[in-house]
Amino acid sequence: MLTGNTLIIGFVLALIVLFVLIMRFKWDAFVSLLVVAIGLGLLSSIPAKEVPGIIATGFGTTLAGVGILIGLGIIFGQFLASSGAINKIATGMLRVFGVKKSPYAIAMTSITVSIPVFFDAAFIILHKLIQNLSFKTKISLTTFVAILSIGLITAHSVIIPTPGPLVVADQTGSDIGMFFIYGLLVSIPGVLVGGVIYGKYIGKRIKNEGHLDESDIAEADSTLSGRKEISTALSFGMLALPIILILSNTLINLLFRDNTEQFVPTLFSVIGDKNVALLISVLVAMFALKPYIKEDIKTVFAKALDQSGAVILITGAGGAFGKVVQETGIGDLIISMMQGLNIPALLLAFLFAQILRASLGSATVALVTTSAIMGPLAAELGVSPVVLGLAICAGGIGLSLPNDSGFWVVSKFGRLSMTETIKVWSIGGFLSGVTVLISVYVLSMFQGILPGL
C-alpha cells in the first residue's frame, strides 16, 4: 500500500508504465489508461473493492461534460470539410491579405480551420494550397509548412471546441465562452512566433520549393467535379454559427447577471448551451451544406463517428485515471511539493502537459490526463480556472516527436525529411507553446479585473 512520498513515486512509475505500454508495446491509449488507473488504485490506500466504481465514476463524469460535444463537434467539422468550406475559407483569407502577405493569410486560415476540423485532416486538405502559394510567390514551401502546421496544432490544443481544450475547460470548471475568447487571444502570439516568424527563419535554411504537377491538378479537378461550389459567405457563416451561439450565452449572462430568470437569459442559456449550440449547428449544416457535398450524407456521418469514437473513449479513460489520482490524495501531495520547491502553478501545469505530450505523442491524451489531475486543484492553487486551463493547453502544443502521427503527416505532405520535420514542426511547436504560456502569464496579471478570470 502506497502512502505519503511513496505515493508520489508510485504515481511517477504509473506514468512510466503508461509510456511503455503505448510506445513500446503499441497498446491503445484507451486500454493503457484504464490498466494504469486500476493498477495505481489497487496499490494505493483506496479499498480494492471501490477501485472499479471510482474508475467508472471518473469515466462517466468526464464524458457527461464533454462526450456529446466531442461527437457533435467532429460531425460538424466533417460537414465543413466534405462541402469544400475549408478550402473556401482559405481562399477567402488569401483574398483579404493578398498574395504578398500570404504567410499571414495562412496563419489566420490555420487558426480558423483548426477550430472545427482535426489537425491531420486540415493539414491534408490545405497542403496543396500552400504548395501552389509557394510556387506562385517563390516563398519557401518550408515557411508555409511551418505556418500551417503550427497554426493548426496551436488552435487544436488551445481553442474550443476541439476535444482537448473542451476537456480542460470542463475539468477546471471554466466558462466555455470565456475559455474560447482567452484561448483565441493567447493563441495568436504563439502562431505568429512559432509559425510566421520562425517559419520565415527556417524557410531560408531549408530550401523546399512548392509546385503543382499534372497529377496535383487532376486530383483537384476530380475532387471538385460533381460538386456545386460553396460560397465564401456561407463557409464563414457556418464556421461562426456554433461560436456565435456559445458566446451569445456568455454575453447575455454578463448583461443579465442580476436577472437570470427572465425570458431572454433563459432562452440563450438553452440555445447557447455548448451541446445545444453544436446540435443546432450540425442540423443547419445537414441542410445548408447538402447541395455542396458530393458523397452521401450517411458517409459523412460514418467518417465523423469513426473519428469521434476513439477520441471519446480516450477522453473517458483519461478522466478515469484522473479520478483515481484525485482519490489517492496525490493532488494534495503535488501542492505540498510545489510549495516546498516554489514551483509556480502555471509552470507546473505547462511542464506536466508538455512531458506527457512529448512522451505519448498525443496532444489530446496529454491535455485530458493533465487536466484530470490538476484541473480540480485550481481553487487550492489560487489561480483562475481559465488561466490554469490555458497553461495546460500551452503544454500540449509543442515537442511533437516521431511517436506522434501528426509528425509524419507534416513530414510526408510537407515534403520534409525526419530531421527537417524536427527543425520545422517540433521546434516551431515548442516555440509556440512557450509563447502561449508567456501570454497566459500576462493574462494572469489581470486576474480579478477582466471578466471570467
Side-chain angles (χ1 to χ4, degrees), residues 59-265:
F59 188 94
T61 302
T62 301
L63 292 186
V66 297
I68 295 175
L69 194 57
I70 290 174
L72 291 174
I74 294 174
I75 292 172
F76 181 67
Q78 187 62 50
F79 269 99
L80 291 182
S82 297
S83 65
I86 299 304
N87 275 318
K88 205 65 178 181
I89 289 169
T91 54
M93 289 288 188
L94 283 171
R95 280 199 295 269
V96 172
F97 285 88
V99 176
K100 291 185 178 180
K101 294 183 179 179
S102 53
Y104 296 96
I106 294 301
M108 289 304 298
T109 299
S110 63
I111 294 175
T112 305
V113 167
S114 195
I115 293 174
V117 182
F118 271 148
F119 170 84
D120 292 13
F123 191 89
I124 293 170
I125 290 171
L126 295 174
H127 84 279
K128 296 288 174 103
L129 174 67
I130 62 174
Q131 289 177 19
N132 191 23
L133 276 176
S134 176
F135 177 75
K136 289 181 177 179
T137 62
K138 304 306 178 186
I139 297 174
S140 173
L141 177 61
T142 301
T143 296
F144 284 117
V145 169
I147 296 171
L148 178 61
S149 62
I150 302 307
L152 289 173
I153 193 59
T154 301
H156 177 82
S157 301
V158 181
I159 304 176
I160 284 171
T162 50
L166 271 176
V167 176
V168 174
D170 183 68
Q171 293 284 7
T172 56
S174 302
D175 177 84
I176 294 292
M178 289 299 177
F179 202 93
F180 170 83
I181 292 172
Y182 292 123
L184 180 61
L185 286 176
V186 299
S187 293
I188 293 174
V191 175
L192 290 175
V193 173
V196 178
I197 296 175
Y198 180 70
K200 290 181 177 180
Y201 166 81
I202 198 66
K204 295 177 181 178
R205 286 153 180 80
I206 299 177
K207 301 299 180 182
N208 188 2
E209 299 302 327
H211 68 278
L212 281 181
D213 55 30
E214 293 181 1
S215 63
D216 291 332
I217 297 173
E219 183 178 335
D221 289 339
S222 65
T223 301
L224 293 173
S225 63
R227 185 176 71 188
K228 183 180 177 182
E229 186 175 356
I230 190 172
S231 68
T232 302
L234 180 57
S235 299
F236 276 99
M238 286 305 309
L239 176 67
L241 179 59
I243 298 170
I244 291 173
L245 290 174
I246 292 172
L247 290 182
S248 67
N249 182 32
T250 301
L251 178 61
I252 293 298
N253 282 335
L254 290 174
L255 295 176
F256 291 83
R257 64 178 63 186
D258 297 323
N259 300 286
T260 56
E261 299 302 320
Q262 292 185 6
F263 174 75
V264 173

